[in-house]
Amino acid sequence: MAAEVYPEYQKSLKAFNAVDFDDILLYSEKLLSEHEAVRQSFRQQFRYIMVDEYQDTNEAQYRILRHLTGAERNLCVVGDDDQSIYAWRGANPGNILDFEKDFPGAKVVKLESNYRSTGNILAAANGLIANNKARKDKVLRAMAGDGEPLVHVSCYDEEEEAQHVITHIRNALYNREAVYSDFAILYRTNVQSRVFEEQLRYEDIPYVLIGGQQFFDRKEVKDLLAYLRVILNRSDEINLLRILNYPRRGIGPTSADRLIRASAERNCPLWDVLDDPSGVELEPRVRDAISRFVGLLQNYRQRFRTSSGLAALLRQLVTDLDIEGELHRTLNDPDRARKRMEFVEDVVSAMANYEEREGKPSLLGFLEKVSLLDDEDSDSDDKEKKLQQDAVVLMSLHSSKGLEFDHVFLVGVEEEFLPHTKSISEEMDIDEERRLCYVGITRARKTLTLSSCEQRRKFGKMLQRVPSR
C-alpha cells in the first residue's frame, strides 16, 4: 500500500511546491552532500555546533551533522543512550554509542550525579538498565539520600489497581502530604487510561491526560455508545444519524437527506420513517439496508430488556456489526485498526466491570455512568497548560520523557504491556522496552509504586496476566 501511495504523495507535494518534515531533512542532507560550496558555506557560518538529546537523532540528522562538522570538529552533543525510546520513529541509539568512533579524540564527560530521584529509585533504575548490553557504562548516584523504598502492588484486576492508586492519592491529600499535581500515573499504552479516568471522575479528583485522547472522546468509542443509546431510546436522532451508515451499509448522504426530509414532512420521528420508508424515493438495495438496520436495533432492544448478561450482549453486537472489519477496511493499516479495536473491546470490558459493581445492572444505568464520565469538555491540547493545573497527570511512558513528579505510579507492569506484545512477538528490540521502563522509573522524585494485575478484562472476558520480566 505504502509503495503505491508514496510516489503519488510526492507528486502532489511537488505540484504544490511543498515539502514535508522528512523531506526537509532528506533534501538538506542531499544538498550538503552534493554541493561542496554550500557545505563549506555552512561550516563557516556555524563554527560551533551543539546538539541536545543526541540519542534521539535519526540517520538523516546524523549525516547532516557530519556534513556540518569540518576539520575543526567543534561539536558538543548531550544525550543519554539509556533514554533512547524513539526507534519507532527512526531514532538510532547507535549514533550516541558510536560517537567516539565517528569523532576520534572526542572527550566524554559522564554526568552521574542525580539531583532528582532518591537513592532507592535510582538503584532500581540502575539495576534494570544494567541488563542492556549495548550501552555506555554509567551509574547514577543520588544526591538526595536513599528515600522511601519502592513499592510493588499485585492486584486482582485493573479495577482494584485503579482503586489502589486513587485511594493512595486520596490519603495523601487528606493528610496534607501532597497536592494533586504531585502525582503521575504512567502506562505503556493509551488503552490503559480508561479505568483510571473512570475512577478519578467517580472520586471527583481532577486530572489531565497528556499525549492522548480521553477514552470517551474517541470516535470508535462514541460510535459504539451511539448504538447503545439508540437501542435504549429510538428518539435520540443525533446518535441515530451517527450510526445510520456506520459501519457502512450503503445508506449514503443522499438517502439520509431524503429520510430526514420525509421525517419533517410527516411530522414524525426519524425512526418511524426508517421503520416504514414507503413513499421515500430510495433504491431497493437501500431499502434492504434500512430494513436490516432497523431489524438489528429492534432485536437488540428486546434482548437488552430481557437478558442479564449485558457485556456478553454488547460483545455479540460488536461482532454482528463487524466493527473490526470496518476498521480494517477504512484505515488500511493493520496496526492502527488493531489499536482502535482495543478501545472498542475496552467498552465491553467497562460494561463487564459495571455489571460486577452494580446490584441491578441495566443498559440505562451503564449509559448514565458513561454520561457522567463524558459530560466534561475536553481540556486544551496544550501540554504546558495542562501541566500547570493542580491535577493528577495521566500519560504514556513516551509522553513522560523530560518530566518529573514527586510521586509516580507505574501501572500495568506486565508481560505484553511492558514489554509490549510487539517487542515479544515481532522480535523487536527488547532493550528499548527496558529503556522505556527506565525512563518511567526516573520520572519519580520521592516515591515510586509499581503495580501489576493477576488478570485483566479483554473484550469483557478475564485473561490471566504475567508480571513483567
Side-chain angles (χ1 to χ4, degrees):
M1 183 70 181
E4 295 176 10
V5 171
Y6 185 71
E8 297 302 317
Y9 172 66
Q10 290 298 318
K11 285 180 185 177
S12 298
L13 285 175
K14 190 171 183 180
F16 285 101
N17 195 30
V19 293
D20 61 18
F21 180 73
D22 289 336
D23 286 338
I24 293 173
L25 293 176
L26 293 173
Y27 289 144
S28 296
E29 194 281 325
K30 185 178 175 67
L31 179 68
L32 291 169
S33 68
E34 295 180 359
H35 299 276
E36 175 68 21
V38 174
R39 189 164 63 247
Q40 290 301 330
S41 173
F42 278 107
R43 284 179 175 178
Q44 291 173 12
Q45 182 177 352
F46 303 112
R47 296 189 60 195
Y48 298 91
I49 298 174
M50 301 185 72
V51 183
D52 194 14
E53 303 288 2
Y54 189 63
Q55 77 280 351
D56 294 331
T57 55
N58 58 34
E59 184 64 22
Q61 292 167 325
Y62 166 76
R63 291 184 182 182
I64 290 171
L65 190 64
R66 292 298 301 265
H67 291 314
L68 292 177
T69 54
E72 294 181 354
R73 299 202 171 188
N74 290 326
L75 171 66
C76 175
V77 305
V78 179
D80 181 0
D81 56 293
D82 291 334
Q83 296 191 51
S84 181
I85 58 173
Y86 296 116
W88 50 275
R89 69 183 189 194
N92 180 12
N95 291 347
I96 193 168
L97 293 174
D98 295 335
F99 187 79
E100 295 98 314
K101 184 170 71 175
D102 293 335
F103 300 96
K107 181 179 180 181
V108 177
V109 179
K110 294 183 181 181
L111 304 177
E112 296 176 299
S113 297
N114 183 290
Y115 295 87
R116 172 192 296 163
S117 304
T118 64
N120 285 322
I121 293 171
L122 292 184
N126 289 329
L128 170 74
I129 206 64
N131 291 286
N132 281 6
K133 303 306 179 187
R135 62 182 294 266
K136 299 280 187 183
D137 183 38
K138 56 190 173 299
V139 177
L140 296 181
R141 293 185 293 273
M143 299 292 107
D146 289 340
E148 296 184 29
L150 275 63
V151 175
H152 173 253
V153 181
S154 178
C155 303
Y156 175 70
D157 60 11
E158 67 269 31
E159 290 284 316
E160 184 178 290
E161 182 180 39
Q163 289 166 5
H164 171 82
V165 170
I166 275 61
T167 299
H168 187 103
I169 293 172
R170 272 276 183 228
N171 290 341
L173 267 292
Y174 179 80
N175 294 325
R176 300 183 183 277
E177 296 169 353
V179 295
Y180 290 121
S181 57
D182 288 335
F183 297 93
I185 303 171
L186 308 182
Y187 38 79
R188 175 63 177 86
T189 64
N190 286 322
V191 75
Q192 294 170 256
S193 74
R194 190 265 308 167
V195 67
F196 293 97
E197 289 185 64
E198 284 187 357
Q199 291 291 336
L200 287 164
R201 290 197 184 185
Y202 286 152
E203 295 289 338
D204 198 27
I205 295 177
Y207 75 91
V208 292
L209 189 72
I210 306 293
Q213 269 185 306
Q214 294 190 1
F215 180 78
F216 291 101
D217 286 340
R218 299 178 183 277
K219 178 186 179 302
E220 52 277 6
V221 172
K222 285 181 174 289
D223 289 337
L224 185 53
L225 292 176
Y227 267 97
L228 296 179
R229 288 183 170 120
V230 173
I231 287 169
L232 185 69
N233 176 16
R234 294 177 296 191
S235 299
D236 186 344
E237 297 196 352
I238 292 176
N239 282 301
L240 182 55
L241 286 169
R242 183 183 185 103
I243 64 175
L244 184 60
N245 198 40
Y246 179 83
R248 291 174 294 182
R249 51 178 58 91
I251 309 174
T254 301
S255 298
D257 183 62
R258 288 171 180 168
L259 292 164
I260 293 169
R261 287 175 184 274
S263 170
E265 290 167 2
R266 296 184 193 178
N267 192 28
C268 69
L270 177 60
W271 176 263
D272 291 352
V273 178
L274 292 171
D275 196 26
D276 178 17
S278 59
V280 184
E281 185 183 346
L282 299 168
E283 295 182 16
R285 61 177 181 79
V286 177
R287 290 184 184 277
D288 289 343
I290 292 173
S291 178
R292 290 192 298 272
F293 175 64
V294 170
L296 178 137
L297 292 176
Q298 288 176 332
N299 175 35
Y300 274 96
R301 180 179 175 82
Q302 181 63 27
R303 293 172 71 182
F304 270 108
R305 279 177 170 173
T306 57
S307 173
S308 58
L310 300 181
L313 261 182
L314 181 55
R315 189 184 309 116
Q316 185 60 51
L317 176 61
V318 171
T319 301
D320 289 348
L321 291 171
D322 190 24
I323 290 177
E324 185 169 12
E326 179 73 359
L327 290 171
H328 281 278
R329 285 189 294 272
T330 55
L331 295 175
N332 287 316
D333 182 334
D335 285 341
R336 286 180 62 204
R338 186 171 63 246
K339 287 177 182 176
R340 297 279 184 91
M341 191 61 197
E342 285 180 356
F343 294 114
V344 174
E345 293 170 355
D346 223 31
V347 178
V348 180
S349 296
M351 182 170 273
N353 288 332
Y354 161 77
E355 278 189 281
E356 282 192 358
R357 285 197 304 263
E358 296 295 321
K360 294 182 179 179
S362 66
L363 180 57
L364 174 61
F366 175 71
L367 290 174
E368 285 177 344
K369 291 284 188 183
V370 168
S371 294
L372 290 173
L373 299 175
D374 197 25
D375 248 0
E376 300 174 14
D377 292 332
S378 296
D379 292 320
S380 163
D381 288 333
D382 190 311
K383 183 175 179 178
E384 295 301 323
K385 286 183 179 179
K386 285 184 175 183
L387 291 172
Q388 288 172 7
Q389 299 178 42
D390 184 20
V392 176
V393 176
L394 275 71
M395 59 169 54
S396 70
L397 288 168
H398 281 102
S399 297
S400 73
K401 190 165 179 287
L403 302 176
E404 55 187 68
F405 304 89
D406 280 358
H407 310 287
V408 168
F409 297 93
L410 182 49
V411 300
V413 186
E414 305 153 19
E415 294 292 304
E416 298 184 356
F417 272 160
L418 189 65
H420 193 269
T421 306
K422 272 191 171 184
S423 68
I424 302 169
S425 62
E426 300 180 15
E427 297 184 357
M428 291 178 64
D429 189 1
I430 199 76
D431 284 6
E432 176 136 345
E433 292 294 297
R434 202 172 279 120
R435 291 194 292 267
L436 192 55
C437 186
Y438 174 87
V439 166
I441 291 172
T442 53
R443 298 312 92 196
R445 294 192 192 106
K446 297 179 179 178
T447 69
L448 174 66
T449 302
L450 299 94
S451 60
S452 57
C453 295
E454 295 173 12
Q455 53 186 0
R456 285 182 184 271
R457 288 191 186 278
K458 186 169 185 180
F459 215 2
K461 295 180 179 179
M462 280 295 192
L463 299 178
Q464 293 300 309
R465 306 291 292 177
V466 177
S468 175
R469 66 192 70 182

